[in-house]
Amino acid sequence: MRQIKLKPWNDAISDVLKFGFSDESISNLIHQLASLLDSKISTLILFYKSNKPYWPLKRQMSEREWKSLSLPYRDGAYLLDPFYHLSKNGSEGVFSLQDIVPDNFNETQFYHIFYEKIAVHDEMCAIFQLSEDVSAIVSVCRVDTEKNYEAWAFNSFFSCFSILETVIKKWWSIKQQYPLSEATSLGPRLDDALENFGASLLTPREREVARLSLEGHSVKAQALKLRLSTETVKGYKKNIYQKLDITSQAELFNLFIDSLKTYNPENSLDPLSGYL
C-alpha cells in the first residue's frame, strides 16, 4: 500500500479545532483531503430537497473547480448525477464513481459535458445527511490522468469519513443562520422533473425508457430492469424520438436540460408541457 503523508491533513483538522468551523478552515480541510488522495479538484455541495444545489465555499474554489460545475449542471443536469441520486435516497458514506454508475454512463451527454470536457477521469464522494431536507457531498476528482482511484485512495477516504462527517455536520449547525434566500432563490423545485419528463406526450413505459436512457443505462440494462426484450426497448426508444421530434441520445439530453429553463411544477409536473 502506498505511504501517505498525513501531517497536512492532521494540521487542517487542528486548524478547525483551533480557529473554529469557518468556511476557510473547512475549505482548507477539503483541499488537504484532495491532496492526500492525489486529486486536483475538490468541492462541497449542498443538495436541497426542494431547490437547486448550493456551493457554500464558492469563494474558496479554484476557477477550474468552479468551471467543472458548469451552468447546465446547476440549472438541472444535476438530476442526472448518480451521486445526487444517492444523496437524495438517504445514503451516507464514501462512494466511487466506477462502482455506482450505469453501464452506459461514459456514453451519455452528462458524462461528455461534466467529466470528459474538463478531463475528469475519476471521482469519489463522501455523502452526509444534514437534515431531512438537506444533504451534502464532498467530492474529489482526478483529472489529466488515466489512473482511476486505487484501493489505497478509497480506503484512505473511508478512514477520513468519520472525522469529515463530524466536522461538516458541526459546520452546518453553525451555518444554519445564513439567509435561506441564498438557497431558495436558486430556482424552482426540480425534484419531480426527471420522473415526469414527457408525461404529456409519452406513455408511462416510454417515460421509464427515456429516464433510464438519460441516466446512462444501455438498452440491454433497460431491458433487464423493465423485464422487456431489447427489441421492445428499441421500439420504445424509436417512439420516444418520433414523439419528441429528435434523432439521438444527445438531443434527448439537450431537450431535457432546455425544458428545465421554463419548468414550473405549479402549472404542470411535465417540463415539456411549458416548453414545446
Side-chain angles (χ1 to χ4, degrees):
M1 177 178 172
R2 167 194 162 122
Q3 185 175 0
I4 57 177
K5 298 180 180 179
L6 288 173
K7 189 175 187 309
W9 162 256
N10 290 337
D11 288 345
I13 297 172
S14 177
D15 286 345
V16 171
L17 298 176
K18 284 180 182 177
F19 305 115
F21 295 79
S22 66
D23 289 358
E24 290 74 16
S25 62
I26 298 301
S27 178
N28 181 53
L29 182 67
I30 294 172
H31 174 75
Q32 294 303 333
L33 174 67
S35 179
L36 186 72
L37 304 175
D38 281 351
S39 307
K40 291 185 180 178
I41 294 179
S42 60
T43 188
L44 169 66
I45 307 176
L46 300 183
F47 288 122
Y48 290 81
K49 198 169 185 179
S50 301
N51 297 285
K52 294 184 180 182
Y54 177 59
W55 286 261
L57 306 181
K58 178 184 175 182
R59 292 181 180 178
Q60 286 78 29
M61 293 169 65
S62 69
E63 182 178 357
R64 185 170 192 175
E65 289 168 336
W66 183 242
K67 281 185 177 180
S68 71
L69 301 164
S70 60
L71 188 59
Y73 183 95
R74 303 192 292 274
D75 278 349
Y78 70 89
L79 295 168
L80 303 176
D81 186 339
F83 289 115
Y84 166 74
H85 283 289
L86 282 176
S87 66
K88 181 182 177 182
N89 292 334
S91 298
E92 284 194 304
V94 177
F95 302 89
S96 171
L97 180 69
Q98 303 300 323
D99 292 334
I100 67 169
V101 293
D103 61 337
N104 221 35
F105 183 72
N106 286 15
E107 297 180 20
T108 63
Q109 284 298 103
F110 184 91
Y111 175 83
H112 293 318
I113 293 174
F114 302 108
Y115 287 91
E116 191 173 66
K117 186 176 181 181
I118 56 169
V120 171
H121 189 73
D122 201 3
E123 181 179 17
M124 294 190 294
C125 283
I127 301 178
F128 316 98
Q129 300 299 323
L130 303 181
S131 69
E132 291 184 0
D133 299 320
V134 185
S135 59
I137 67 169
V138 171
S139 164
V140 295
C141 298
R142 282 191 175 172
V143 299
D144 303 326
T145 176
E146 294 185 354
K147 288 185 178 180
N148 288 339
Y149 282 108
E150 306 87 350
W152 71 260
F154 182 87
N155 292 335
S156 297
F157 201 173
F158 182 79
S159 297
C160 295
F161 178 80
S162 58
I163 291 176
L164 197 59
E165 178 184 32
T166 299
V167 170
I168 294 295
K169 288 186 175 181
K170 178 63 176 178
W171 165 85
W172 170 249
S173 68
I174 295 172
K175 290 288 286 185
Q176 293 271 1
Q177 300 304 314
Y178 73 81
L180 288 178
S181 59
E182 290 187 46
T184 57
S185 65
L186 288 173
R189 177 173 179 165
L190 295 176
D191 289 1
D192 300 319
L194 181 60
E195 192 69 28
N196 293 284
F197 177 66
S200 58
L201 297 170
L202 308 177
T203 67
R205 187 63 91 184
E206 288 167 350
R207 284 164 51 200
E208 289 181 308
V209 171
R211 176 175 57 80
L212 291 172
S213 296
L214 284 167
E215 290 176 351
H217 296 274
S218 66
V219 168
K220 183 179 179 180
Q222 291 177 48
L224 288 172
K225 282 181 172 290
L226 300 176
R227 297 183 180 180
L228 300 171
S229 70
T230 56
E231 291 304 313
T232 300
V233 172
K234 289 178 181 178
Y236 280 128
K237 291 193 73 171
K238 182 179 179 180
N239 291 341
I240 292 167
Y241 287 2
Q242 287 178 341
K243 289 183 178 181
L244 300 184
D245 194 24
I246 57 176
T247 59
S248 68
Q249 180 80 5
E251 288 184 62
L252 179 65
F253 173 86
N254 291 332
L255 180 61
F256 174 64
I257 298 304
D258 287 344
S259 70
L260 296 178
K261 296 176 183 178
T262 57
Y263 179 52
N264 185 349
E266 294 183 0
N267 295 332
S268 174
L269 290 177
D270 180 11
L272 287 180
S273 64
Y275 178 76
L276 295 178

